[in-house]
Amino acid sequence: MRAIDAIKLDDPSFLLPSPHAEMAALRREAPVAYDARTDAWVVSSYESVSFALRHPEIFVSGRGVSVQERKLGTDGPVHGGDFMLATDAPRHTELRAAAQPGYVQPRIRAWEDRLRARIVAAIDALPAGEVLDAHTRIAKTLAIASVCDYLGIPEHDVPWVDELTSVWSPEHTQWSGVSVTDYPEGTLERYFAVLLEERAAAPADDVLTIIAGGRGASLSLRAKLMLCIDLVVAGNEPLAAGISGGLHALAEHPDAFARLQREPELIPTAVNELLRRVTPIPYMCRTTASDVELEGQLIPAGSFVYLLYSSANHDEDVWGKPYELDVARSDAGKLLSFGRGAHTCIGAPLVRLVYRILLEQLTSRFAALEMGGDVRIVTGVHMPHLGFLPLVLVPASPAHRDTP
Ligand code: HEM
């Protein structure tokens, strides 16, 4: 059997859990391979995935970046060209410029103290020494709370926004309107339309204000709504998946957790390493705008292409011992978990900050993380991830407690 025949990216269960052996075989045999069954190309080596990301003029996003969007089967840009993830320059540049100022390092740093207080409060509320579902109680809680807080969503709306985010459908991008009442009540669109109107009238220090006014001012209401939704939908689930996957890895590698206790300066590196191993978004898709030769293969114009970030993140040609957790891995920053180039994750600085503070707190307050049962993996809205992570936060002896 050829390696490509074992790759079934159109079947969600294929990624449960990560099919490392199949992807390694594909990298060895055919790092750029045509899959006749799905009429798509699969790119699996670090070098080829990086090449594709560096050439968004060839590997375009506007025809869809997911299997679901491929099925929309439109001739023009999917979602009417308003959903940033699935747009190309010059439209993409314009949309990104409207949200990016909110996600630059200095702004994120200024938010750090408020975020730390939130994370400390969330951890204070956890029962030490008992089995708890760390996916729900830590990862999901912190992911939605931090994304919403940073955007400027009031705290009392967070559970509701979380619920709507998990049932939001790309079909909603067909909705169009110029005023608040053009959008159905009880939807994320209506909710954000109201908030944006409020921020335009009374600016605050948040990302919603940046989208409502500033560089976002010239965008249509529909485009602004898509930006807000892009941020919560693109941010919430991957962040939760990244955290629970990382906590699981640390619980299974007590030596790594202990090393971070002894050498907390390694925590930023550990964050990259955990996100490399987990790769919460295992692949994204593109369509070729012209013929392109990659690893000796000619991919014709108009081809649907899978870029396997997860495989690239475990490519033996780039990473020494890629399946090992090495919290001191010196080149962990090369990870492709946030993509690269024009569409690089806009929320990456926020993710790194949330994750760093969380690890600082856990390593300084608890003696260890221990598994308290079997994990459960769920298909998820966008990707498979841990849906249940039974964990024990082992209390530290009083002498060890040294909260930063
Ligand atoms: C661990 C958590 C996260 C991971 C692994 C992740 C991963 C990614 C990846 C791989 C892309 C590139 C998609 C592509 O190549 O087509 C991306 C784009 C994006 N991410 Fe994230 N993301 C995370 C969290 C967040 C958060 C918290 C936010 C917002 C608050 C966010 C907002 C976005 C947006 C808006 C884009 C689209 C950027 C563009 O198209 O120019 N992400 N993310």
Side-chain angles (χ1 to χ4, degrees):
M1 182 165 105
R2 295 173 316 154
I4 187 66
D5 297 329
I7 304 286
K8 299 199 165 33
L9 294 165
D10 55 338
D11 173 3
S13 65
F14 173 68
L15 292 160
L16 302 171
S18 217
H20 286 309
E22 289 84 347
M23 292 196 284
L26 187 64
R27 282 195 302 276
R28 275 195 307 274
E29 190 180 298
V32 174
Y34 176 66
D35 178 24
R37 194 179 57 84
T38 56
D39 184 23
W41 286 79
V42 181
V43 175
S44 54
S45 68
Y46 185 93
E47 199 184 314
S48 304
V49 171
S50 305
F51 177 90
L53 294 176
R54 281 198 311 272
H55 292 280
E57 74 290 357
I58 303 175
F59 293 88
V60 301
S61 297
R63 307 292 292 277
V65 291
S66 66
V67 180
Q68 294 87 327
E69 287 171 349
R70 181 188 195 187
K71 286 185 189 144
L72 292 178
T74 63
D75 286 334
V78 288
H79 313 311
D82 275 341
F83 205 56
M84 177 164 43
L85 256 172
T87 55
D88 299 299
R91 180 61 171 158
H92 173 254
T93 319
E94 185 188 13
L95 292 173
R96 192 156 167 127
Q100 178 113 37
Y103 287 87
V104 292
Q105 285 288 359
R107 205 165 191 289
I108 301 265
R109 264 197 299 276
W111 174 63
E112 180 165 346
D113 288 343
R114 197 166 85 214
L115 176 67
R116 180 174 290 104
R118 264 183 180 279
I119 294 179
V120 168
I123 294 177
D124 282 347
L126 297 175
E130 294 173 21
V131 179
L132 57 89
D133 173 15
H135 177 67
T136 311
R137 306 276 309 264
I138 301 179
K140 253 173 95 39
T141 304
L142 290 186
I144 190 69
S146 45
V147 170
C148 286
D149 189 45
Y150 196 62
L151 246 74
I153 292 169
E155 200 170 339
H156 52 80
D157 289 341
V158 170
W160 184 79
V161 170
D162 188 22
E163 207 179 300
L164 283 191
T165 305
S166 58
V167 295
W168 184 81
S169 150
E171 281 157 28
H172 294 188
T173 58
Q174 309 303 327
W175 295 343
S176 183
V178 290
S179 72
V180 172
T181 48
D182 292 333
Y183 292 92
E185 282 209 48
T187 61
L188 274 180
E189 284 76 2
R190 175 70 165 251
Y191 177 72
F192 279 122
V194 172
L195 279 189
L196 288 173
E197 210 166 63
E198 284 174 13
R199 291 302 192 281
D205 181 23
D206 57 30
V207 174
L208 283 174
T209 301
I210 289 173
I211 295 173
R215 295 207 220 173
S218 61
L219 296 177
S220 68
L221 174 61
R222 186 189 128 92
K224 289 180 195 176
L225 295 180
M226 288 301 109
L227 266 187
C228 296
I229 292 168
D230 207 349
L231 290 168
V232 280
V233 170
N236 187 15
E237 191 176 272
L239 180 50
I243 292 175
S244 33
L247 296 184
H248 184 210
L250 286 174
E252 294 209 310
H253 296 83
D255 49 328
F257 189 84
R259 182 152 185 205
L260 295 181
Q261 288 173 321
R262 288 192 311 275
E263 300 173 66
E265 66 281 5
L266 287 178
I267 288 177
T269 305
V271 168
N272 282 332
E273 171 69 349
L274 292 168
L275 288 169
R276 178 193 72 82
R277 272 178 60 103
V278 177
T279 318
I281 297 182
Y283 66 84
M284 292 296 277
C285 305
R286 299 288 191 266
T287 303
T288 45
S290 54
D291 290 357
V292 57
E293 196 181 316
L294 207 51
E295 307 250 11
Q297 299 290 317
L298 180 73
I299 308 181
S303 300
F304 191 73
V305 182
Y306 287 92
L307 303 179
L308 298 195
Y309 297 161
S310 171
S311 173
N313 272 341
H314 292 85
D315 187 338
E316 298 81 352
D317 286 347
V318 173
W319 312 97
K321 302 188 178 158
Y323 301 102
E324 282 187 12
L325 174 64
D326 176 1
V327 290
R329 194 182 285 277
S330 58
D331 57 359
K334 286 195 309 199
L335 77 173
L336 287 184
S337 306
F338 292 118
R340 183 163 293 175
H343 288 275
T344 302
C345 177
I346 214 169
L350 178 147
V351 170
R352 289 197 166 101
L353 181 63
V354 172
Y355 220 135
R356 169 167 69 71
I357 296 176
L358 174 64
L359 291 189
E360 282 169 1
Q361 291 297 318
L362 292 176
T363 51
S364 61
R365 293 173 61 161
F366 300 101
L369 306 182
E370 277 176 7
M371 292 306 295
D374 294 332
V375 300
R376 214 170 36 239
I377 301 175
V378 294
T379 317
V381 184
H382 309 287
M383 70 218 88
H385 58 80
L386 290 182
F388 178 65
L389 174 61
L391 211 63
V392 180
L393 305 176
V394 181
S397 62
H400 184 263
R401 279 189 69 118
D402 179 21
T403 308

